[in-house]
Amino acid sequence: EAQVTQNPRYLITVTGKKLTVTCSQNMNHEYMSWYRQDPGLGLRQIYYSMNVEATDKGDVPEGYKVSRKEKRNFPLILESPSPNQTSLYFCASNPTVSSYEQYFGPGTRLTVT
Amino acid sequence: GDSVTQMEGPVTLSEEAFLTINCTYTATGYPSLFWYVQYPGEGLQLLLKATKADDKGSNKGFEATYRKETTSFHLEKGSVQVSDSAVYFCALRREWGSQGNLIFGKGTKLSVKP
């Protein structure tokens, strides 16, 4: 089944404890991105990647890192999480940067205390 | 900058009622426009799209027409069902330099009562 998977789905952590949220797609898509969803703000893009070893900042990149060493994986790294990063995170992928449809993962709900 | 504005929710309707969710946008050039739907506990799914002025996107009984003169892309459905209860997001993708990313509205929660 073609899909985007994220792990974990739920995570509660404390301020300053490094964490990684994994994202993997099995559709051989070139383009991947991370969004956060907050009440009243909709979805905002954090980082994106046009292909392996090609990543760039989205609209709200502060406090996050990403890497793209393999085409299928695009982990989101929070080196020192803070409470304002409590949010619902979505990974998404497109076949190419110009493709119309983005395929979203199921989401990761992160709480930072 | 580019932006999407959609009507505040929540919207509560009875089954078989007519649905309209308003969406307007601000963008330079000729963006592509989308409606995504998010069912409870799930990620977003593309519902329909329109890539140029006067295009009508349609899917699952939902429709939206790209109106450049009013910069709008309102979502409509003639008869909603309980299974349509979800959050609906209007989104645009810029024509140039978009890096593929979407600009989303804040979302409108729809609840349909039997």
Side-chain angles (χ1 to χ4, degrees), chain B residues 7-113:
Chain B
M7 63 188 286
E8 298 273 335
V11 174
T12 302
L13 295 173
S14 298
E15 207 164 23
E16 299 184 2
F18 185 86
L19 168 71
T20 300
I21 301 178
N22 291 336
C23 171
T24 57
Y25 68 89
T26 302
T28 53
Y30 300 92
S32 297
L33 301 175
F34 306 85
W35 278 99
Y36 276 80
V37 58
Q38 183 180 30
Y39 297 104
E42 299 183 11
L44 280 72
Q45 303 172 27
L46 179 65
L47 181 60
L48 53 84
K49 69 176 187 292
T51 59
K52 60 182 186 297
D54 300 324
D55 265 4
K56 177 186 281 189
S58 61
N59 187 26
K60 300 181 180 180
F62 291 89
E63 293 183 340
T65 301
Y66 188 164
R67 302 282 189 205
K68 187 161 176 62
E69 63 276 12
T70 54
T71 62
S72 65
F73 193 55
H74 305 322
L75 182 68
E76 296 182 336
K77 187 175 186 183
S79 176
V80 294
Q81 305 300 312
V82 172
S83 58
D84 293 327
S85 297
V87 180
Y88 292 82
F89 291 91
C90 185
L92 70 81
R93 194 181 73 185
R94 305 179 187 101
E95 182 183 8
W96 299 290
S98 68
Q99 297 90 39
N101 70 306
L102 299 171
I103 306 297
F104 286 91
K106 295 181 180 180
T108 302
K109 184 176 182 179
L110 170 66
S111 296
V112 180
K113 306 298 185 187

